[in-house]
Amino acid sequence: MKEQLFKIVDAARSQGAQYADVRFLREENEILTVKNGRVEGLSKNTDEGFGVRVLVDGAWGFSSSPTLALWERVVREAVEVARCSGLARKAGGISFPGRPAVIDHYRTPFVEDPFAISLEQKLDLMLKADAAMREVPDIKVARTSLGFLRIEKHFANTEGSYIRQDLLESGGGIECTAVGAGDVQKRSYPNSFGRQQLTGGFEHIRAMDLPGNARRIAEECRALLTAPTCPSMVTTIILDPTQLALQIHESCGHAVELDRALGMEASYAGTSFLTPDKLGTFRYGSDIVNLYQDGTVPNGLGTFGYDDDGVAACRTDIVKNGIFVGYLSNRETAAEIGHPSSGANRACSWNRIPIVRMTNVNLAPGTWSFDDLIADTDEGLYLITNKSWSIDDKRVNFQFGTEAAYEIKNGRLGRLIKNATYTGLTPEFWANCDAICNEKHWGLWGTPNCGKGEPSQIAHVGHGCAPARFRRVRVGVA
Amino acid sequence: MLGQQQTERILREVLDLAKAADEAEVVVFTNESGLTRFAENYIHQNVVERNAQAHVRVVLGKKLGFGSTNRVDGDGLREMVERALQTASLSEDNPDFAGLPADNRPVPTIDVFRPSTERFTPRRRAEAVARLIEACQAKGLRAAGAFETGLREIAIANSKGVFRYQPATVADFNTVVMSDDSSGFANASAIDVHDLDVDALAREAIDKAERSRHPIDLPAGEYPVVLEEYAVANLIGFLAYLGFNGMAYREGRTFLNEKRGQPIAAPGISIWDDGLDPRGLAQPFDFEGVAKRRVDLVKSGIAGDPVYDHQTASLAKVDNTGHALPAPNSYGPIPLHLFMAPGATPKTELAKGITRGIWVTRFHYVNPVQPRQTILTGMTRDGTFLIEDGQITRGIKNLRFTASILEALQRVEAIGATTRQFINTYGSTVVPALRIGSFSFSGATTF
């Protein structure tokens, strides 16, 4: 493979590319779904191909094919497309500083290979979880899913780098829908969007204990049918880690993507209120808010060895003691502001170009135990598991809904509340963060459905956090 | 492009390989496309892709197995079928499985393939983009957007004699033109790239960006609105997705369970799904190869019927309307070819009669808050204006709406006389602009 890929980038160079890289990917996934006691989907899928990216006279071109035998045509196309890009070239051309060659092989650490676990074992676990949910009255739909992904990725570029990565992801989850009392309610576990996903093996599925949590989730789902609706008010909220992970994702992760801040995503995903002039001075949150990106943290869904620029994954600060100090970036965008790349150039597949994506964007733990945090809160809501989400195209005004909420009164968790929503403006919201739980409560959450780019790219990214408290938040919007 | 002959070879080969199964289905998707993307007045991404994927569903008694591959040579297909057979053999019975459909009726041939789009070159895309950029630079504006042209093929066969093939071409151009404090949007899609008037789209976006400069704050609240076709298409897409799924209906999860046959919208509102209408991206069969039927979702304000695929129709003991998604599909059937009937009011006169209201070009990041009540939230963007005394007077900063689609449709006061067509991955939406008497904005943003 190595020789073949170097042949490809050499051909690109001989046709005029000042820089070229090629990625070959072979993916294998297994997806299992059980709904209401029926095995609905049991699929094994494969996908492979390669993409060639070239920089010619300061403009980019890219072409791709599932068939490696067509490499000469693909290189010609990529170069031709780059020359067409030159019809509306960036003034002075794209800046793409060189880097030393890297030769390496990265493998996702794991304990149990999920592809070696029998389908019978997996189905047994799923059917037990499914049955436990359906024991609860009013549960109309019970769904359990497992998914496993194995990626073999080879990267080579004209700088002499050759990197192989063997990546492994495992995910699973349960969700149920209760219908009754003129209402429909849904609950999920461990996360919404059908599953919690991490890099690693089947050990993550065992740790979720889907059957052991199924009845509890279903009972809570049923209880929501007759629970009081979230009142409209301004109050204190505590976000559980799954909801906080999405809050970080939408209001920090996307906002600090440097390509957005530079206008490169303006027509689709949007731009960012965190423009480069704010770097190092803008107060993003309260003093206790420390956010960082880390492509190296074990088990994170955004954990890997090297990004698709050939840059090693690393950890960099984003918000330090409340001040905005860093972006997610790649070699191209980092050069625009004179910074090193943060190693966040990622393509979702062989037929997509790499763009700036999240790795694991994490909120550093604070000092509180969860019990102490609740006890310290006179009045408010504890919000659990995302149900709806929306944020503007500069990542300022957001609104989220959660599957469930619990009233907090006089330092104790109280009644279950349904249809909880909250809204705010990003810097005000994070400025009102006054407590974050400690590392005992800190965990990693996968977001396997992050959309960006044209053509569309769905990235797998992660967020680490512990429950946190926010003051003066408007809740009960709808 | 694989072409009909080559695609049919793959279908036959997979069915032959899957002879050990009691039933088998194969679906082949191919695509070849190029996309030229620009921002900050230069082309920053410019890509070409081609791919072909085969998907197989095999049935052993009541057990199902699925597989897919993009290696469509003999070895790749054989491995895919073997994997699917193995998974089916290890699976559990699904007593509800209704078998594969046996719809051998001929479907109309609808030509949605244009060689002009297939042959459109990266150079011509770049030339069109360069013209837009030049126009923006002349006015001190910045352009972003994408120009995509491509072709796709869908081919479906099963062991019960279903055999379908359709090629299609699609061209799509979108742009956001920005000043320091404003932006304007334009988008159009077409089967024939020559039906896209890129220069007119450029003028539309530039005009909006210029007219919305120096936006003022407007407090959240209830306002009469004019929603342009972009915004209407977004809402109607959600209405169809949330409300008219035959599986969700059977499970009691949609507003249709209570409202079927009841008034849910103003009398002038009619919305339907029709995969045979060439004004959209027509596709005469669904992803199980079943002939599509027109389904009235809302007829003169009255709630119509859900759509069905083979499985949900069998369980509900009703006729299949031909709205299957690709298998495995635990979500259920959804309408993909949406139309809303135009009215009689020229778009330029929709603001008439509004004393103080809001003109919305499009929405951003819309998601359901309470699906059964069709309550959505989202932001306005790229051309939000104040209407005063029936006229657009100036730009306003963007607002968040949190509103029920059904309530909005009940308050429709005027319907635009023309429609715009938007094509997405496997469907299309054709809608007019609307004037709505009252629409709920729940918050404001800073730009």
Side-chain angles (χ1 to χ4, degrees), chain A residues 31-35 38-43 123 126 143-146, chain B residues 328 330:
Chain A
I31 299 166
L32 304 89
T33 56
V34 167
K35 180 182 171 187
R38 313 289 193 236
V39 180
E40 280 213 328
L42 195 53
S43 63
L123 288 176
M126 296 171 80
R143 184 179 277 122
T144 305
S145 64
L146 296 180
Chain B
S330 63

Side-chain angles (χ1 to χ4, degrees), chain A residues 48 77 250 266 390 397, chain B residues 49-50 70 365 381 400 445:
Chain A
E48 67 179 51
E77 272 177 353
E250 300 290 10
S390 175
N397 179 308
Chain B
E49 71 168 297
R50 63 179 63 77
N70 70 338
Y365 220 148
R381 72 177 281 195
R400 168 170 299 286
T445 192

Side-chain angles (χ1 to χ4, degrees), chain A residues 24 48-50 64-71 74 350, chain B residues 50-51 70:
Chain A
F24 175 87
E48 67 179 51
F50 72 107
S64 60
S65 170
T67 311
L68 205 49
L70 297 178
W71 68 270
V74 168
W350 53 268
Chain B
R50 63 179 63 77
N51 201 4
N70 70 338

Side-chain angles (χ1 to χ4, degrees), chain A residues 62-242:
Chain A
F62 176 84
S63 183
S64 60
S65 170
T67 311
L68 205 49
L70 297 178
W71 68 270
E72 287 170 306
R73 174 180 166 179
V74 168
V75 170
R76 275 198 309 275
E77 272 177 353
V79 171
E80 181 201 340
V81 165
R83 294 198 195 286
C84 294
S85 301
L87 294 177
R89 188 194 327 271
K90 184 180 183 192
I94 301 289
S95 174
F96 198 74
R99 288 181 63 91
V102 176
I103 308 287
D104 204 357
H105 187 168
Y106 171 87
R107 299 173 184 84
T108 300
F110 63 90
V111 178
E112 277 186 282
D113 179 358
F115 292 91
I117 305 287
S118 71
L119 286 175
E120 290 96 326
Q121 273 192 68
K122 292 166 183 163
L123 288 176
D124 180 58
L125 178 151
M126 296 171 80
L127 288 165
K128 279 180 180 155
D130 176 273
M133 284 188 281
R134 288 185 298 112
E135 282 171 4
V136 175
D138 297 328
I139 296 300
K140 193 76 178 175
V141 182
R143 184 179 277 122
T144 305
S145 64
L146 296 180
F148 308 98
L149 172 65
R150 181 156 58 197
I151 303 173
E152 176 188 330
K153 184 196 280 194
H154 301 258
F155 170 93
N157 68 12
T158 44
E159 294 165 342
S161 289
Y162 174 73
I163 299 162
R164 173 173 173 163
Q165 299 188 77
D166 292 289
L167 306 166
L168 181 67
E169 297 177 9
S170 297
I174 55 174
E175 61 180 38
C176 55
T177 303
V179 180
D183 200 2
V184 178
Q185 292 290 333
K186 185 174 168 185
R187 278 293 281 132
S188 311
Y189 171 85
N191 205 348
S192 40
F193 321 117
R195 64 193 190 272
Q196 152 75 328
Q197 191 150 319
L198 296 166
T199 55
F202 202 76
E203 63 276 10
H204 295 316
I205 307 300
R206 296 196 195 282
M208 291 174 193
D209 187 14
L210 299 178
N213 284 281
R215 187 174 180 96
R216 174 180 66 82
I217 289 296
E219 284 173 344
E220 194 172 59
C221 185
R222 184 188 187 217
L224 283 167
L225 292 173
T226 51
T229 296
C230 179
S232 185
M233 60 183 177
V234 174
T235 190
T236 296
I237 64 170
I238 295 173
L239 298 183
D240 88 319
T242 61

